[in-house]
Every structure is written in structure tokens, then in C-alpha cells.
Amino acid sequence: MTDALLVFTPEVRDALDAGQPVVALESTIITHGMPFPQNVQTAREVEATIRRAGAVPATIALMNGMIHIGLSDAELDELAQAKDVMKVSRADMAVCLALGAYGATTVAATMICAALAGIEVFATGGIGGVHRGAEESFDISADLAELGTTAVTVVAAGAKAILDLPKTLEVLETTGVPVMAYGQDALPAFWSRESGLMAPLRADTAAQIAKSHILRGRLGLAGGQLVTNPIPEADEIARDVIIPVIEQALAEAEAQNITAKAVTPFLLGRIFELTEGRSLAANIALVLNNARLAAEIATQITAQR
Ligand code: PSU
Ligand code: MN
């Protein structure tokens, strides 16, 4: 029945039918994570990177009451410039579809759509997590519960230090989500290769990540895997540079009473302004890096099946 709600681009449909590797991509990063026109340029580069690595990209968004698995060039352009796009997590999906509104899918919603479409690997920048002060605000991203529920392997550059990273790791552990750092022991923190924390697990090859993905299925374990891929050294922003910027953005969010869904986009926007665009350049580099790794993992999963 859900099939009638999914619209595939021919490229994605053919790849899935032929058992070829496909990598899902989210759309909130386009509409709420980056400014125009870098958002659409990055989305295109990410797609090209995945194709060059031998997989097919499927950017996911809600439009006109349908779940789009893969977007045409025109649709991508439209979404990147559209005003009043809903930021859609698990809670919003059905309402957005009922309204026929534009919906940009977060990590949580993209995982749900990817699973419905039969896509097992998803590349993004950063995931949502437990916000600092969550003991007061209760602000814990629905991304974490989704990782505990939906069987998609998500490649991210760690979580941003705008979050409470130790609490984020605790919630992921409770939810049963393996969090592995790729090629290092340290948990990466988005703009920086290290967070000051160790990752609970480590993975050194795409083949190993693919194998544990498949084994989770065989074991009947619900939920996905979180692969944290450190930003390339050349693009990293050192922790002592980014941390004061994060502190300032957080203080401004509090002073301006920014809450709920608006928190993450506000912080990202302010950090972009405060670093004079350097945070955006790093963000683009890490997303491309994650796209490459996700394509390798997807290729390995299809080869090992
Ligand atoms: N973190 C980033 N960039 C992003 C997001 C998070 O570094 O673009 C987006 C993702 O779509 C993520 C969502 O799923 O924000 C989390 O929002 P919230 O914290 O409101 O759950
Ligand atoms: Mn939140």
C-alpha cells in the first residue's frame, strides 16, 4: 500500500530493480542546513560523487502528497529555493503528505522513506542528538529513536558540538545503536576530527560495516548503524577555533528564546555567519566525504548479499 505513495526517478527504480547499490540523501540539509545557492550546488556534487563511486544517489523529499525517492534537476532546484518548506521528522510525515506541502526530510524521516523504498545506506552531514541543557528542555532529536528503530546504516561526520555529545552517546547505547568511528578510535565532532571522546566502536573498512549491517538483519535486530566518518584533515576546523563560536551561538539562541525545530537551523546559520562561511566550506567537504564512504558501503552490501 505504501508503494502508491512512493515516486521513484527512473535511475533509482532501475538500480533497485537490478540490485545495484543506492545511497539515500536527506533534504533538510538542503532547505534548512545550508544557504542558497551552495545548498543546491552541494546537493548536485554529492549526487555526482556517489555516481562516480559506482552507486546511485536518491535524494528524498515530500512533494504534492507523495514521497519522492530521487529528485530531478528541476525538482531539486525548486526545493532548494522554495519558501515555507516543512522540516519533516517522523512526527510530521503523514501531516505533510496530507497537506500536500513541501517537506524536507530530516535524518529520521529520510531513514523511514529509505527503508520503505528498500534503500539500506544513507549519507548525511551530521545527525540530531541530545541538546545541551536537555535535562531542562527535554530536547532530544527524533533521529536517535529512529536509529534504534529503522534498519538503515547512516554515515555522518559525527554529531555537532552544539549538542551534548556524551548524552547523545548514552541515548544511542540505550537504543541499541552501534556507533562506530571510521578509521580512528576518537568520536569525530563534525567540523573537527576529534571530540575529546572515544567512539564506542571502530570500523576500518566499508566491507566490515557492510558485514555488520547484514548480520544485524540476520540477527533480527531492529534499528540501524551510525558510522561517524571524520572530516578530511585539510578541511577541519580546530576545536579551539569552533568551540567559542558554538558557545556564542548557543548563548544567542537562549537569549532569543529559540526552541523546538528552530534550534538546529538557528545554530547552523549563526555559526556560518560567525565563521564567515568557513563552517559551510567544512560542511560541504565532510558531506562529500560521507557520500564516498556510503557509496562504498552500499556497494559492499550488494556484493556480500
Ligand atoms: N545537523 C547538522 N546538519 C543538519 C541537521 C543536523 O549538522 O542539516 C538536520 C538534519 O536533517 C537532522 C535535523 O536530522 O537537522 C535534526 O533536527 P532536530 O535537532 O530538530 O531533530
Ligand atoms: Mn529538537
Side-chain angles (χ1 to χ4, degrees):
M1 276 331 306
T2 50
D3 272 11
L5 291 171
L6 302 179
V7 188
F8 294 84
T9 54
E11 182 192 21
V12 174
R13 186 65 269 165
D14 290 350
L16 288 170
D17 289 344
Q20 285 163 357
V22 177
V23 175
L25 298 165
E26 63 156 306
S27 41
T28 295
I29 191 173
I30 302 173
T31 55
H32 294 70
M34 291 185 188
F36 181 83
Q38 287 96 336
N39 59 352
V40 63
Q41 284 161 5
T42 304
R44 290 223 164 83
E45 276 177 55
V46 169
E47 291 195 343
T49 299
I50 289 170
R51 288 193 188 95
R52 273 198 303 275
V56 168
T59 303
I60 293 176
L62 311 186
M63 292 189 230
N64 307 316
M66 303 290 281
I67 300 171
H68 288 253
I69 311 290
L71 299 180
S72 69
D73 261 3
E75 286 167 340
L76 200 62
D77 254 339
E78 212 172 296
L79 186 75
Q81 297 186 68
K83 303 273 175 275
D84 300 324
V85 180
M86 284 175 76
K87 177 179 161 188
V88 173
S89 189
R90 169 179 276 266
D92 320 286
M93 274 187 66
V95 171
C96 180
L97 290 169
L99 288 170
Y102 273 123
T105 52
T106 61
V107 168
T110 305
M111 289 179 75
I112 295 170
C113 298
L116 288 172
I119 301 171
E120 298 176 85
V121 181
F122 163 23
T124 185
I127 62 156
V130 180
H131 280 263
R132 297 199 203 173
E135 58 274 26
E136 280 291 317
S137 68
F138 276 49
D139 190 349
I140 301 175
S141 175
D143 292 352
L144 301 185
E146 205 60 51
L147 278 159
T149 306
T150 300
V152 173
T153 287
V154 178
V155 182
K160 293 208 161 95
I162 59 177
L163 302 170
D164 186 323
L165 297 181
K167 287 196 184 75
T168 300
L169 286 182
E170 291 296 344
V171 171
L172 286 166
E173 186 192 11
T174 304
T175 334
V177 180
V179 179
M180 43 193 122
Y182 183 65
Q184 66 180 33
D185 294 323
L187 180 77
F190 202 81
W191 297 292
S192 318
R193 288 172 64 84
E194 300 196 355
S195 58
L197 300 170
M198 299 290 269
L201 297 163
R202 169 180 176 141
D204 287 295
T205 64
Q208 180 198 329
I209 298 164
K211 191 167 182 186
S212 56
H213 175 97
I214 292 170
L215 282 169
R216 287 181 64 85
R218 284 177 55 192
L219 290 166
L221 297 174
Q225 308 190 106
L226 178 61
V227 179
T228 60
N229 187 24
I231 183 171
E233 247 169 80
D235 303 297
E236 131 170 272
I237 305 179
R239 286 185 72 207
D240 56 336
V241 174
I242 200 72
I243 285 174
V245 171
I246 292 170
E247 300 291 348
Q248 184 178 339
L250 284 166
E252 290 179 12
E254 194 176 324
Q256 294 177 41
N257 245 313
I258 310 287
T259 57
K261 276 174 184 295
V263 173
T264 300
F266 175 87
L267 293 173
L268 297 182
R270 277 306 282 149
I271 292 167
F272 169 68
E273 289 163 6
L274 292 168
T275 59
E276 289 160 353
R278 198 164 156 221
S279 68
L280 180 60
N283 198 342
I284 293 168
L286 66 85
V287 175
L288 294 172
N289 193 44
N290 295 343
R292 280 186 287 270
L293 178 57
E296 258 187 81
I297 297 167
T299 303
Q300 279 293 328
I301 291 175
T302 52
Q304 290 180 29
R305 274 246 160 77

